[in-house]
Amino acid sequence: MKAVVMNNIGGREMLEHVERPEPVAGPGQALVEIAFAGVNFMDIGVRQGMAWTETPNPKILGVEGAGRVVAVGDGVEGLAPGQRVAWVYAPGSYAERIAIPATSLVPVPDAIDDRTAASVMMQGLTASHFATDFYPVQPGDVAFIHAAAGGLGLLLTQIVKLRGGQVIGRVSSDEKVAAAKEAGADHVIVDAQGRFAKEALRLTEGEGVHVVYDGSGPKTFQGSLDMLRRSGVFCWYGPVLGGPGPLDIMSLPKSIKIGYAVFLDHVPTPELLRARSAQLFDWIAQGKLSVRIGGEYPLADAAAAHADMESRKTMGKLLLVP
């Protein structure tokens, strides 16, 4: 089968479209034909040596996708050949086929197509964690969302609105404003220089926001702190762009609460993974949540997808098509 591997830690030139041995479903696994694989910043982090360092190179990238079960291994119940499934953390998803633990798969309902299912797993479950678990948004809360036109930002905006919150979104260019507003953002700030806090405070009449979701790296950290109201919550995520450095906890202002949100804490069991995925699919089927596809690339063009994602010019979810 064809797959995209990283031959070593480094830039996009380390990615190669190669022939790999056919995977086989072992005990407790299912063999899946991949229809679409999701592209995530995590994949870039792996390529740059931030994760999976214990796995020798060359290794197949990717953790997310949707497809159809081809075969099941011994001991697998509840899955059968021909069944449509999706997954959110199965290393080796940049490929035509993959052997996945059955406990990592969720059934995809008929109302959800493969493209949508592959697009919503990582970013949808992350957005769900942020807005319902890490900080359960309440009616009237004001949330500030960085990168509001990205795949995660668009889903997070919609979920905050579903819970009755208000959204102030930040985007890096005028071209992204319409996408953020279409997702439901009440206000959109265009800012690529880290000067957003003053405008957020103006929009909240000096009170500040209840929660800020920041995965934009060190350059936005101080501004995110500055815009929080008393006892506000700072949701920090996304390791690829780096952290803010050491923090003096006694220097934190306004009794704020700050934490690093990891989506796997939202789905620590197969039961929760399936329940929370089903909630996302229900919202989509009911027209309450929409998924924007920012680009589709042949599997062989994974490096181009990485380049576009790293440019920060894309809007919505990027997919690979084996």
Side-chain angles (χ1 to χ4, degrees), residues 139-216:
D141 283 353
V142 181
F144 190 99
I145 298 175
H146 288 276
L152 172 59
L154 294 171
L155 293 170
L156 181 55
T157 294
Q158 293 175 76
I159 294 175
V160 169
K161 297 297 292 184
L162 280 173
R163 293 180 62 86
Q166 300 177 44
V167 172
I168 302 173
R170 181 184 72 85
V171 298
S172 58
S173 66
D174 291 328
E175 291 76 19
K176 296 182 177 182
V177 172
K181 288 196 170 183
E182 185 179 342
D186 299 276
H187 306 280
V188 180
I189 298 171
V190 179
D191 173 64
Q193 306 300 322
R195 301 170 183 165
F196 50 85
K198 182 177 180 180
E199 179 64 8
L201 288 168
R202 185 190 70 79
L203 290 169
T204 57
E205 299 181 344
E207 289 292 316
V209 302
H210 294 82
V211 59
V212 56
Y213 300 102
D214 191 344
S216 294

Side-chain angles (χ1 to χ4, degrees), residues 232-304:
V233 173
F234 194 140
C235 177
W236 178 267
Y237 66 94
V240 175
L241 297 176
L247 289 175
D248 176 4
I249 195 168
M250 294 179 68
S251 71
L252 296 177
K254 301 180 183 177
S255 300
I256 67 161
K257 296 171 281 290
I258 186 169
Y260 181 67
V262 179
F263 90 97
L264 283 175
D265 291 328
H266 193 51
V267 289
T269 67
E271 293 76 20
L272 281 171
L273 173 63
R274 293 190 179 111
R276 286 173 170 153
S277 299
Q279 175 67 85
L280 292 173
F281 293 149
D282 284 346
W283 280 336
I284 293 168
Q286 295 168 18
K288 296 179 178 179
L289 188 67
S290 63
V291 179
R292 182 184 181 118
I293 309 298
E296 294 184 17
Y297 306 76
L299 182 63
D301 291 343

Side-chain angles (χ1 to χ4, degrees), residues 212-245:
V212 56
Y213 300 102
D214 191 344
S216 294
K219 70 177 183 179
T220 58
F221 185 82
Q222 186 60 52
S224 291
L225 278 182
D226 294 342
M227 76 169 79
L228 282 166
R229 66 178 57 203
R230 295 189 188 281
S231 301
V233 173
F234 194 140
C235 177
W236 178 267
Y237 66 94
V240 175
L241 297 176

Side-chain angles (χ1 to χ4, degrees), residues 18-147:
V18 299
E19 191 73 29
R20 293 287 290 223
E22 286 287 342
V24 176
Q29 293 184 322
L31 178 64
V32 179
E33 186 88 19
I34 299 174
F36 295 92
V39 181
N40 295 286
F41 267 106
M42 176 186 176
D43 308 334
I44 295 171
V46 171
R47 196 195 74 220
Q48 294 174 344
M50 297 180 184
W52 298 10
T53 53
E54 70 285 354
T55 304
N57 294 317
K59 52 180 171 266
I60 304 174
L61 284 182
V63 296
E64 171 192 42
R68 194 174 295 272
V69 174
V70 176
V72 297
D74 293 341
V76 173
E77 298 179 355
L79 290 174
Q83 185 173 355
R84 295 172 59 239
V85 291
W87 58 93
V88 66
Y89 199 93
S93 296
Y94 283 16
E96 292 178 326
R97 284 168 291 283
I98 185 173
I100 306 179
T103 52
S104 296
L105 295 170
V106 301
V108 177
D110 292 341
I112 306 298
D113 61 76
D114 290 338
R115 181 180 284 102
T116 300
S119 299
V120 79
M121 294 299 294
M122 174 73 84
Q123 293 175 338
L125 288 171
T126 299
S128 173
H129 176 39
F130 288 177
T132 70
D133 192 355
F134 188 90
Y135 178 82
V137 174
Q138 303 300 309
D141 283 353
V142 181
F144 190 99
I145 298 175
H146 288 276

